Amino acid sequence: MVAACPATLYEASRSRRKRGTMSKKIVHIVGTGTIGEPLIALFADKKAELGIDEVTFNKRTPQLTDRAKIQDLIRKGAKLAVSADAKAEFEKMGMTVSYESEEAIQRATVVIDCTPEGTGAENKTKFYQKYDAPGRGFMAQGSEFGFGKPFALHLNDSAVDPVKDRFTQIVSCNTHNIAAVVNAVALVDGKDNLVEGNFVCIRRASDVYEDKSLGGPEVGSHKDETFGTHHARDVHNLYTTLGLDLKLFSTAIKVPTQFMHTLYFDIRVKKPVTKADIQKRFQTLPMMAVTHKKTANTVFAFGRDHGYMGRILNQTVLAQNTVAVLEGGKRIVGYCFTPQDGNSLLSSVAMTLRYLYPSDWQKRMTVFDRYLFREV
């Protein structure tokens, strides 16, 4: 018998390792910011219930100010991936590195890109398309227009096929909110009752973990001649996946708070509706909630005390005492609160499970039911 040469043995071992990896269900998150950090923690915390074998995440820059959170994510069971040239510095700071950045992408079944706007598209061209294959899925967060088919849980589930749509865009938290309000007010039983919708996104200036400050309200510009800001454009694109062409316009203003975004809506419909109709839909449709509270800080505090990792996971929270039905039931106005980034997080988990378990993903999502409220 002729002994196999070392190179042959190495390739055989490497092939076995690769086959073993491909049989695992591995979720990889790129970025550790507003969405990335809680998403990593969520997957690490619920790994067993969700049927995930391994959670990995990528951090680009080694910083002492980030060390505590990185070490805690590792303690939760997530594994750190960094670029080869940054590995030594991460380890010098006491952060255990498990994989090189591209290796982690190559190993992953699902990749969720949580990097700043524009970076996800670059990563798609540079890395993700290279590893695109049946059974894999790639997501980008927020305003990554063009990355893939837009998705928001319970709003366009039927339009997204996890087998064919391997690249998806998880729309932003305000886009979730607007889309959910449009659905509740003007898309009754799948029928388009909308004439037009106008929205003011009253945005928090920064997340609670950020040191940014804002002296006073800062108005946004209307870069899109049709939709105003990207929020209405993204909602429009979301609903085009269902064959709808909705007339929407949004504007945005930042205010000096770190609590929650607030949304003002002004929607005109073809057939009249009543105030009772609107409140009933917000109380019965999936992932909708109502509140008698009038301030963002009290709604935020409810999420801190009763939500998952301090977050409300609903699509929106309607301030029901602000709802007014005008012009004989054909104009509806009011305010609602955007649950920080909770709605985007839940859509990210749902799309991940649709890639991993397309036949029973909804059953696995029930682990979060206790964090979805009817009243806040």
Side-chain angles (χ1 to χ4, degrees), residues 21-27 51-55 109 356-357:
T21 299
M22 292 306 292
S23 66
K24 285 186 174 182
K25 298 188 184 301
I26 302 172
V27 177
I52 295 169
D53 296 307
E54 187 177 350
V55 179
T109 319
L356 298 179
Y357 298 100

Side-chain angles (χ1 to χ4, degrees), residues 142-143 145 169 171 175 230-239:
S143 302
F145 178 68
Q169 173 201 2
V171 297
T175 303
H230 76 86
H231 308 92
R233 181 202 66 192
D234 288 353
V235 174
H236 179 271
N237 291 337
L238 180 78
Y239 279 117

Side-chain angles (χ1 to χ4, degrees), residues 10 83 114 131:
Y10 171 78
S83 63
C114 303
Y131 299 110

Side-chain angles (χ1 to χ4, degrees), residues 70-87:
I70 298 303
Q71 288 177 331
D72 192 58
L73 292 171
I74 293 171
R75 278 194 293 269
K76 290 179 187 295
K79 296 181 179 180
L80 175 62
V82 304
S83 63
D85 58 357
K87 183 175 184 289

